[in-house]
Amino acid sequence: MDCWHHEIEKATSEAEVVRSASDYLALWAPRELPPWSLGLSEMRICDGGDIERVNFHLSADNPKGKPTAACQSHLRELARYFSRASTRIGELRG
């Protein structure tokens, strides 16, 4: 488990997960992923709803979220991260 996933695991509040996800997404901005492809209007995470939206758009159940061949591995990595972040927010809310 890498350090970004570790940050999610040790988070004790939704705000901590959001902050970590925002920082993580900032690393991807230079790769020029369009924010709309992640369900966002801007390349930033402001709240738990943004995390859930990105998770949905990257999920296998969402046809628009299926990665193209060119960036498949990067999108899979993002999908794994946001799936866990969304799950962690659910755990913290429960």
Side-chain angles (χ1 to χ4, degrees):
M1 182 180 299
D2 68 17
C3 64
W4 289 103
H5 287 263
H6 179 71
E7 288 296 316
I8 292 171
E9 297 305 320
K10 72 176 193 169
T12 58
S13 70
E14 184 172 334
E16 288 178 14
V17 176
V18 168
R19 190 171 28 259
S20 182
S22 180
D23 291 347
Y24 183 75
L25 187 60
L27 295 174
W28 293 90
R31 296 185 188 188
E32 298 181 26
L33 288 172
W36 57 263
S37 70
L38 302 175
L40 300 169
S41 58
E42 297 179 47
M43 198 64 136
R44 51 191 280 209
I45 301 294
C46 297
D47 57 31
D50 287 341
I51 290 173
E52 292 169 2
R53 205 168 8 271
V54 171
N55 182 46
F56 173 76
H57 279 271
L58 293 173
S59 74
D61 295 335
N62 177 13
K64 292 182 181 178
K66 290 185 180 175
T68 61
C71 59
Q72 196 171 27
S73 66
H74 297 309
L75 290 178
R76 273 196 306 263
E77 188 174 336
L78 276 168
R80 278 191 301 271
Y81 179 86
F82 279 94
S83 174
R84 183 59 196 133
S86 180
T87 300
R88 183 66 180 137
I89 284 175
E91 292 169 356
L92 292 167
R93 286 177 180 169

